[in-house]
Amino acid sequence: MSEITRSKAAREKAEKAREKAAPLGDDIDLDAYSQVAEEHPYQDDPSRLPLETKQRMLETGVVLDDASQRSGTFLQVDHSVVHSKAGQDGLEVMSTVTALEEYPWLKDYWWRAVAVDADKFTAQAELHQTHGYFIRALPGVKAIQPIQACLYLSQHGLAQNVHNLIIAEEGSELHIITGCATAPIEQEGLHIGISEFYVKKGAKLTFTMIHNWAPKMAVRPRSGIIVEEGGVFLSNYICLKPVRTLQMYPTAQCVGENALVRFNSVLVAPPGTIMDVGSRVILAARGSRTEVVARAITTGGTIIARGHLVGQVAPVKGHLECRGLILSEKGSIHAIPELEGLVEGVDLSHEAAVGKIAEEEIEYLMARGLSRDQAIAAIVRGFLSVDIEGLPPQLEAELQRAVELSEKELL
Amino acid sequence: MLEVEDLTVEVEGKEIVHDISFNVDIGETLVLFGPNGSGKTTLLMAIMGLPRYRVTRGRIVFKGQDITQLPVDERAKMGIGILFQRPPVVRGVKMREIVRACLGGREDGAVIEQLAQKANMVEILDREVNYGFSGGEVKRSELLQLMAQSPEFVLLDEPDSGVDLVNISLVGEMINELLQKDRLRSRTNSGLLITHTGHILDYVDADRACVLLYGGIWCRGNPREILVSIKSHGYEGCAVCQK
């Protein structure tokens, strides 16, 4: 990357934050992971990727055999961009490294929604960035199909440090499906993913992220979202597979009047998995609203489900909801909702419920002829299937599929 | 079709129903009157086999088979269905899915729509089961599920409670269909109907009646005559009446 686009100040801050532990999540020894990856060749036709890779990507909602289903595709394996293409006028899809070279003005967006010196992970992404995607919709452009991106880790012991940048310009509409996965092997690795989202005036961005990690993976996404006047940001996060340690706390700031943010998370923690996942929304402009919903299931792992709403001006409205199901003798769910009203006239609320499936509900379904196992399956399936307002049907189908795939393993 | 012999039922260690015996023949509808707390619901739940309602004495025989120890889903599969008075909310599970399950899991969208139309429930098919339902919607939802399940023996727990006049005639129609009331002969379905107020009897005919008081059967007789008596003297009148 050209040194002109790299801010010297950012680099210096990153250097200072090199050893800075994150306030949440277990500390991770970054030196335990390799920074050097084998190069993977670029593929003009992504359907020619190995079948196994394609299958693994498909499980995260990334479709490679039918280009007509997507308005753009970005694929990264380890440190190599193996495919990158926009399929509609007015949409841009490329590596952020390329984008920074092409658009010098992008430096105004770089590390603005996420602080470069937040912790050692943001610092590492600055000091050892290995691509990441740049997705942008030009003003007024509405993506017909979702754009998909996949960040794939195939090399044992590797640290993948990506920095993504997503811009929905004024009045545009973007739907993005991001799948993150590891090769189907018992591998160790670290994924650091910085994502900065900018939703401009009147734009709408739907972001659906499906994580399929491996039992020995450490994952530290760091996301920031800035939503301008009348902008809409809808996030759906699905993580149903084992992961050794995952900690993230995406933060959205509603800086324009009547901005809307929704976070939906669906988490399943099998034994050996620790997930510390939250969503934070700062309502900093009049009329801004948010709804944060988390569904968590443990089958033996640990889930910390956080939520934090901050009402800085009035009127604003926010609701936080967390429902947790404990389906095993072991395992725990710790819901930590926080509401912070800083002025008179904010309207913030939360509800949280953690427990096992109500026996009464199981018996009710059994009275209709379902066996006990079928009744539990129906309730769990229902619990996981998030009804998301404003979600395009293709994305809904992807979510449904992800849930169905995991259901068998779950029960 | 159903024989209940000397049945005693406890709930959380407390005996609620004591030594009750009665039977319901094929094609017959038995109505059970009784004030709140007389044990009506407990009796129905015990017949359905809900684990909280523990049979401590006596037995339940359905179609010649002793089902006293059978789990609830097995009883449902044998042909017993129940309309719950206060069914639980099942978050996340859609009406459409539960109706499909009642149909035995067959993926027949057309049948589901058709049944929903009968129950005036088409708009509710994509809502979560019992979530935010009005009193009338709860009953119609229960009956829609029962119509899909098509049981030979229907337990109806206060189908007329909390239902307005607009809904009650539809509820009555659906119960009549479940109980094959359009057939004069060859009726094969039977029912046990609980009512506190008796309103439902303006819409559904019953063949015989019992009054349940203090967890036991107080008297038996003609449904109309008993209802007239309850209406004029109240259940207090029953209590002072000779058993």
Side-chain angles (χ1 to χ4, degrees):
Chain A
M1 186 185 303
S2 88
E3 284 306 312
I4 309 159
T5 51
R6 281 283 189 208
S7 145
K8 210 174 146 191
R11 193 152 277 263
E12 280 170 7
K13 280 186 180 173
E15 289 286 358
K16 282 187 191 150
R18 261 191 128 114
E19 307 289 325
K20 185 177 171 186
L24 302 173
D26 314 327
D27 197 24
I28 291 171
D29 178 12
L30 297 177
D31 295 332
Y33 299 92
S34 159
Q35 301 293 348
V36 186
E38 194 186 316
E39 278 293 313
H40 299 277
Y42 189 85
Q43 280 282 0
D44 249 340
D45 178 2
S47 70
R48 294 174 67 180
L49 282 166
L51 201 63
E52 199 184 31
T53 309
K54 283 202 298 185
Q55 184 54 37
R56 193 73 180 147
M57 289 184 176
L58 187 66
E59 286 170 13
T60 66
V62 174
V63 180
L64 299 177
D65 286 331
D66 181 4
S68 72
Q69 287 190 34
R70 298 290 184 254
S71 284
T73 297
F74 177 90
L75 304 177
Q76 177 170 343
V77 176
D78 300 329
H79 294 174
S80 312
V81 176
V82 299
H83 184 80
S84 162
K85 195 176 179 183
Q88 189 189 327
D89 283 347
L91 299 182
E92 296 175 330
V93 177
M94 63 186 94
S95 154
T96 39
V97 173
T98 317
L100 281 170
E101 281 169 1
E102 204 162 299
Y103 299 130
W105 50 265
L106 268 189
K107 64 178 189 304
D108 297 336
Y109 293 80
W110 204 245
W111 295 120
R112 204 177 100 205
V114 175
V116 62
D117 55 356
D119 55 36
K120 66 206 275 190
F121 305 107
T122 54
Q124 167 136 317
E126 168 63 20
L127 300 171
H128 302 282
Q129 189 205 336
T130 52
H131 294 286
Y133 51 82
F134 170 70
I135 298 174
R136 178 183 178 219
L138 296 183
V141 172
K142 292 183 166 48
I144 299 163
Q145 300 284 354
I147 291 176
Q148 61 185 2
C150 185
L151 301 165
Y152 193 79
L153 207 71
S154 76
Q155 186 178 312
H156 187 76
L158 188 68
Q160 192 181 43
N161 316 310
V162 301
H163 191 149
N164 309 311
L165 191 59
I166 300 97
I167 304 175
E169 297 283 3
E170 273 192 33
S172 67
E173 241 181 78
L174 259 183
H175 308 301
I176 298 173
I177 298 177
T178 303
C180 292
T182 42
I185 49 167
E186 273 289 299
Q187 74 156 332
E188 284 178 44
L190 168 67
H191 171 89
I192 297 173
I194 312 300
S195 299
E196 298 188 271
F197 299 84
Y198 298 91
V199 182
K200 301 288 186 71
K201 191 175 171 184
K204 181 178 176 185
L205 174 57
T206 308
F207 183 74
T208 299
M209 182 153 80
I210 301 177
H211 274 175
N212 273 4
W213 300 111
K216 291 180 184 166
M217 280 290 299
V219 180
R220 292 292 183 266
R222 297 290 181 256
S223 303
I225 305 103
I226 294 177
V227 189
E228 294 183 3
E229 187 185 335
V232 175
F233 177 76
L234 306 177
S235 160
N236 307 301
Y237 176 63
I238 314 285
C239 189
L240 311 170
K241 295 289 166 65
V243 53
R244 182 170 67 81
T245 165
L246 161 70
Q247 186 273 318
M248 63 185 218
Y249 210 155
T251 298
Q253 302 176 54
C254 293
V255 299
E257 287 193 1
N258 301 315
L260 169 67
V261 169
R262 282 214 177 95
F263 279 105
N264 287 294
S265 317
V266 180
L267 309 168
V268 174
T273 288
I274 299 173
M275 292 176 174
D276 184 335
V277 175
S279 306
R280 179 181 287 120
V281 182
I282 296 163
L283 299 160
R286 288 169 57 85
S288 52
R289 286 167 299 146
T290 187
E291 199 176 79
V292 175
V293 176
R295 305 270 171 88
I297 290 185
T298 171
T299 57
T302 301
I303 297 178
I304 302 168
R306 299 175 194 270
H308 185 191
L309 306 183
V310 186
Q312 292 185 339
V313 296
V316 294
K317 193 172 167 65
H319 183 68
L320 199 60
E321 185 186 315
C322 173
R323 285 165 56 207
L325 269 188
I326 301 170
L327 293 185
S328 138
E329 298 268 302
K330 289 177 184 159
S332 68
I333 297 175
H334 185 174
I336 309 176
E338 285 185 67
L339 303 179
E340 207 177 326
L342 301 178
V343 290
E344 190 188 358
V346 298
D347 178 358
L348 304 176
S349 57
H350 80 77
E351 56 180 303
V354 174
K356 62 175 191 171
I357 300 177
E359 204 55 38
E360 192 191 12
E361 293 176 30
I362 298 172
E363 288 165 8
Y364 181 60
L365 297 181
M366 287 175 76
R368 303 297 183 226
L370 274 73
S371 69
R372 190 176 177 83
D373 287 350
Q374 286 170 330
I376 291 171
I379 293 166
V380 169
R381 197 183 312 128
F383 185 87
L384 289 176
S385 62
V386 201
D387 254 336
I388 298 156
E389 205 183 313
L391 193 68
Q394 304 97 315
L395 293 195
E396 206 177 302
E398 296 300 347
L399 287 187
Q400 205 53 45
R401 227 167 41 85
V403 167
E404 279 163 18
L405 277 169
S406 71
E407 188 192 307
K408 289 182 197 112
E409 296 166 30
L410 199 62
L411 299 162
Chain B
M1 177 169 262
L2 181 82
E3 289 155 65
V4 171
E5 296 169 11
D6 303 322
L7 200 70
T8 296
V9 185
E10 11 171 281
V11 180
E12 285 159 11
K14 190 177 171 202
E15 196 173 298
I16 306 287
V17 166
H18 329 283
D19 297 314
I20 282 187
S21 296
F22 65 91
N23 69 308
V24 183
D25 288 337
I26 292 176
E28 196 184 30
T29 302
L30 176 68
V31 61
L32 211 56
F33 294 109
N36 290 333
S38 58
K40 304 188 300 293
T41 296
T42 299
L43 178 61
L44 243 63
M45 295 297 178
I47 295 171
M48 190 68 232
L50 287 137
R52 211 166 81 86
Y53 302 84
R54 216 163 65 80
V55 173
T56 51
R57 273 197 307 277
R59 59 179 203 148
I60 305 161
V61 178
F62 180 62
K63 293 199 284 192
Q65 189 186 330
D66 186 338
I67 61 165
T68 318
Q69 301 305 326
L70 226 51
V72 55
D73 56 323
E74 294 295 331
R75 299 188 200 198
K77 285 193 189 105
M78 280 183 77
I80 303 180
I82 184 164
L83 176 144
F84 287 90
Q85 189 187 355
R86 288 186 200 88
V89 171
V90 190
R91 290 297 301 270
V93 177
K94 300 285 172 61
M95 276 306 295
R96 190 183 295 280
E97 293 164 46
I98 203 170
V99 173
R100 182 174 293 130
C102 289
L103 282 163
R106 294 191 303 274
E107 297 263 340
D108 197 332
V111 173
I112 294 173
E113 293 285 332
Q114 202 186 341
L115 288 172
Q117 242 154 22
K118 266 190 198 168
N120 192 16
M121 293 288 284
V122 177
E123 287 84 38
I124 284 164
L125 279 179
D126 290 313
R127 277 172 53 188
E128 293 166 89
V129 176
N130 300 322
Y131 184 60
F133 282 16
S134 68
E137 283 169 342
V138 165
K139 302 297 177 208
R140 285 187 279 127
S141 150
E142 290 292 295
L143 286 163
L144 169 60
Q145 294 173 51
L146 283 172
M147 301 244 279
Q149 202 184 339
S150 185
E152 289 170 79
F153 193 91
V154 197
L155 300 161
L156 300 153
D157 191 358
E158 306 267 9
D160 46 9
S161 74
V163 182
D164 59 25
L165 279 172
V166 185
N167 275 303
I168 197 160
S169 74
L170 179 58
V171 165
E173 262 174 54
M174 293 172 76
I175 293 174
N176 283 333
E177 189 173 332
L178 279 169
L179 295 172
Q180 303 166 320
K181 292 294 188 188
D182 57 326
R183 299 189 193 178
L184 288 176
R185 300 171 66 188
S186 71
R187 193 179 289 156
T188 51
N189 288 356
S190 320
L192 179 56
L193 170 69
I194 287 182
T195 177
H196 171 78
T197 60
H199 290 324
I200 194 67
L201 294 182
D202 293 339
Y203 303 89
V204 177
D205 286 329
D207 303 294
R208 286 189 291 128
C210 295
V211 174
L212 205 64
L213 265 186
Y214 312 118
I217 290 180
W218 203 256
C219 75
R220 302 168 197 254
N222 174 288
R224 294 260 157 220
E225 287 172 14
I226 290 184
L227 185 59
V228 167
S229 164
I230 293 168
K231 277 184 176 165
S232 46
H233 307 295
Y235 285 110
E236 299 82 2
C238 292
V240 295
C241 180
Q242 280 287 317
K243 211 171 177 181

